[in-house]
Amino acid sequence: AQKITQTQPGMFVQEKEAVTLDCTYDTSDPSYGLFWYKQPSSGEMIFLIYQGSYDQQNATEGRYSLNFQKARKSANLVISASQLGDSAMYFCAMREDFGNEKLTFGTGTRLTIIP
Amino acid sequence: EAGVTQSPTHLIKTRGQQATLRCSPISGHTSVYWYQQALGLGLQFLLWYDEGEERNRGNFPPRFSGRQFPNYSSELNVNALELEDSALYLCASSFTGLRNIQYFGAGTRLSVL
């Protein structure tokens, strides 16, 4: 079974609109971390936001927020007021079994911002 | 502050050769991770080094190996290269802790001909 599922291979969004990128996960570990990374065409993976499984509030970092619904096992990324520079691949990732430390990534969503 | 740096940016090898990829972590980070991003296979965890020791290994054959030096920089070696080893190899570093955010470099693109 897929541990991280991103069901949107590609999305087109008008500049300045908000966008939600979907991510669902599967784990039986009560303690885990969820991450979102952005990968522009240059290849570098840029960390955006982190949510711990025990965090009471949804994480926010500037224009990025994480809509964490633990019971549904979803961790959607919301980007407010999208910009042309937001065009990139976006990956959701999970770290479970603390002490293991490896990240398991989803297949990614290619976001294109239209001027 | 400098981020994670990887060298070389591009590497072209032929089948059967050996490749060496290098990574310098963010200052103060003691853990280094290697991931492979191959077309059609997504991002796969390769290796984790912390304090000079290999701590965890992904589902890759033994010809993928590496080490971490006393200054926490790391090398990834791939022996007996195969065509399917062509990929972007990403290095990440972190300061091990509860959040353990892994910060990535720009990668080394390995092409095996």
Side-chain angles (χ1 to χ4, degrees):
Chain A
Q2 292 283 341
K3 285 191 173 280
I4 295 285
T5 302
Q6 294 181 254
T7 57
Q8 306 152 310
M11 286 187 71
F12 290 85
V13 173
Q14 206 74 38
E15 189 180 6
K16 298 179 185 174
E17 288 186 351
V19 56
T20 297
L21 304 181
D22 295 341
C23 173
T24 57
Y25 59 92
D26 182 28
T27 182
S28 57
D29 196 329
S31 183
Y32 52 90
L34 296 159
F35 305 76
W36 277 93
Y37 287 88
K38 171 184 177 181
Q39 188 177 40
S41 54
S42 59
E44 181 177 1
M45 295 285 284
I46 302 167
F47 166 73
L48 295 178
I49 198 165
Y50 167 85
Q51 180 84 41
S53 59
Y54 293 120
D55 291 344
Q56 294 297 311
Q57 294 190 331
N58 286 348
T60 59
E61 293 280 354
R63 292 187 301 113
Y64 304 107
S65 61
L66 202 152
N67 184 2
F68 181 46
Q69 298 191 38
K70 197 170 183 177
R72 293 186 176 186
K73 293 189 175 178
S74 76
N76 298 339
L77 176 71
V78 180
I79 306 173
S80 63
S82 57
Q83 303 170 356
L84 295 178
D86 294 334
S87 293
M89 282 290 288
Y90 288 80
F91 291 93
C92 179
M94 177 172 64
R95 186 183 76 247
E96 54 190 335
D97 182 20
F98 287 112
N100 182 333
E101 304 306 326
K102 76 171 191 179
L103 293 178
T104 301
F105 287 85
T107 51
T109 296
R110 181 170 296 282
L111 176 65
T112 303
I113 307 300
I114 305 165
Chain B
E1 181 181 312
V4 176
T5 56
Q6 292 187 244
S7 62
T9 306
H10 293 91
L11 191 57
I12 300 174
K13 295 285 185 178
T14 56
R15 220 171 61 177
Q17 285 189 313
Q18 179 197 33
T20 298
L21 289 64
R22 296 180 176 83
C23 173
S24 292
I26 292 170
S27 177
H29 287 186
T30 60
S31 279
V32 170
Y33 311 81
W34 288 95
Y35 292 83
Q36 181 197 65
Q37 188 176 24
L39 273 174
L41 293 177
L43 278 145
Q44 305 285 328
F45 168 77
L46 255 170
L47 289 159
W48 167 34
Y49 291 96
D50 182 59
E51 297 286 357
E53 301 283 333
E54 182 181 304
R55 302 294 186 184
N56 195 14
R57 182 181 183 86
N59 189 24
F60 282 84
R63 58 191 187 82
F64 286 84
S65 65
R67 54 181 171 167
Q68 186 178 33
F69 299 99
N71 67 353
Y72 302 113
S73 67
S74 176
E75 240 176 40
L76 174 68
N77 295 295
V78 189
N79 294 321
L81 284 165
E82 300 179 2
L83 297 178
E84 52 264 34
D85 296 334
S86 294
L88 180 66
Y89 289 83
L90 290 162
C91 172
S93 74
S94 76
F95 179 73
T96 308
L98 186 60
R99 280 163 48 98
N100 188 9
I101 308 298
Q102 295 181 24
Y103 295 93
F104 285 79
T108 292
R109 188 163 297 281
L110 173 65
S111 298
V112 183
L113 306 177

